[in-house]
Amino acid sequence: MKPFKVLSSFVITGMLTISLAACGSSTDEASTTKKDDTEKITIGMSFPAADHGWMGAVIQNAKDEAKKLGVEMVVSQADNPNKQTNDVEDLITKKVDAIVLLPIETDSMTPVAKEVKDANIPLFVFDRELNDKTYTGLVKGDNSGIGKNAADFIGEELNGKGKVAIISSDPSSVNSLRVGGFEDEIKSKYPDLKVVANQSGSFQKEKAYQVMQNVLQANSKIDAVYTIDDEMAIGVLQAIKEAKRDDIKIVTGAGGFKDFYQAIKDSNDIELATFTYSPLMIKTAVDQAVDMAKGNAPEKQDTVLPAEKVTKDNVVKYLDPNANY
């Protein structure tokens, strides 16, 4: 009987050992699962330098969204393509889980996207496009839609006839699409709307103010001003008011700047409107990057957010005095 007892003891001991090992394995798995669930996701973010209120708001909104989602972030800003390329390569070296990129320039930033792809890191491009589809997702506003919608608004308000000044910006895809969309729409639908000036305000309120002063001096009659940016529209309004010009009936902007929203709400002498290209859009790019880091790919590669018209009738829906921009 002793051999049986010894064997039984051995078997029981073995069973207990296996059982404990199994329990230990289960605990390890649970711990691992818990670690996976709570492990910090790190999102790399590369932006141009915040030399414009809209860009500053984009960066802050991106940080706010990452914080809300509970993820780590590595944020960089660059004032030239070489610096931004180095910033992205640094994010690759850090092995971040995904990258959100707002390219300074399309051509110069396209090559580094291939480096990101070769490193198997998801890349989400925001606002300005690259020359190819070497990215996981693209989130942008409807720049051509801004121009089209502005042309329709001005055309309808002026009954299809009048003189229009355009305050545009320096050469870029954004400028080309916003101005091109406007010009194409008036050419096809409002042939009696005549563009009497097209000057760059460089996306700066002060520069737009100075440019508009020159436009006013050169043109004794202007019915409407299409401005491709809300901050520039503020500068345009200042120039119009200081010149005491009452011929201008309409000024439009673009972007979603709270100061211009407030101007729309308060204006009684000039019809103001803008078209959304909100810096809040960056939250969609951050959301997609975080989802991808969790293994959930975006439903489509390109996400284009519509350019919604904002006028005195609906501005209260958009106006947030506490907004970053």
Side-chain angles (χ1 to χ4, degrees), residues 223-267:
D223 295 292
V225 182
Y226 166 49
T227 314
I228 71 165
D229 169 75
D230 283 349
E231 288 192 54
M232 292 200 299
I234 294 289
V236 165
L237 281 175
Q238 182 182 351
I240 292 171
K241 290 178 179 179
E242 288 183 3
K244 298 181 180 179
R245 291 281 293 264
D246 57 7
D247 53 314
I248 299 171
K249 304 174 183 68
I250 303 163
V251 173
T252 66
F257 183 29
K258 63 183 179 182
D259 287 4
F260 194 58
Y261 283 157
Q262 188 65 52
I264 292 173
K265 182 181 177 183
D266 296 340
S267 181

Side-chain angles (χ1 to χ4, degrees), residues 133-268:
K133 293 276 191 175
T134 313
Y135 53 78
T136 309
L138 168 69
V139 177
K140 65 175 185 175
D142 187 0
N143 282 302
S144 61
I146 286 173
K148 176 182 180 298
N149 294 346
D152 286 335
F153 179 76
I154 291 173
E156 291 167 8
E157 291 293 318
L158 295 179
N159 295 317
K161 187 175 182 178
K163 296 181 178 181
V164 183
I166 298 174
I167 303 301
S168 56
S169 190
D170 303 327
S172 68
S173 62
V174 170
N175 183 73
S176 297
L177 289 168
R178 292 185 186 182
V179 175
F182 183 84
E183 292 179 332
D184 289 346
E185 189 74 356
I186 63 172
K187 187 180 296 183
S188 64
K189 292 177 65 175
Y190 311 101
D192 291 328
L193 282 181
K194 304 300 181 182
V195 176
V196 297
N198 182 350
Q199 299 291 325
S200 172
S202 302
F203 282 110
Q204 301 294 329
K205 181 174 69 176
E206 184 62 29
K207 177 69 179 295
Y209 164 71
Q210 295 169 354
V211 166
M212 192 62 200
Q213 286 180 315
N214 296 332
V215 170
L216 291 171
Q217 290 174 4
N219 296 275
S220 59
K221 179 71 162 67
I222 299 173
D223 295 292
V225 182
Y226 166 49
T227 314
I228 71 165
D229 169 75
D230 283 349
E231 288 192 54
M232 292 200 299
I234 294 289
V236 165
L237 281 175
Q238 182 182 351
I240 292 171
K241 290 178 179 179
E242 288 183 3
K244 298 181 180 179
R245 291 281 293 264
D246 57 7
D247 53 314
I248 299 171
K249 304 174 183 68
I250 303 163
V251 173
T252 66
F257 183 29
K258 63 183 179 182
D259 287 4
F260 194 58
Y261 283 157
Q262 188 65 52
I264 292 173
K265 182 181 177 183
D266 296 340
S267 181
N268 294 313

Side-chain angles (χ1 to χ4, degrees), residues 25 40 53 82 88 120 123-124 136 155 168 192 195 212 218 232 234 244 279 291 293 306 309:
S25 176
K40 285 290 185 183
N82 288 335
V88 174
N120 294 317
L123 175 65
F124 290 84
T136 309
S168 56
D192 291 328
V195 176
M212 192 62 200
M232 292 200 299
I234 294 289
K244 298 181 180 179
D291 284 344
K309 180 173 67 178

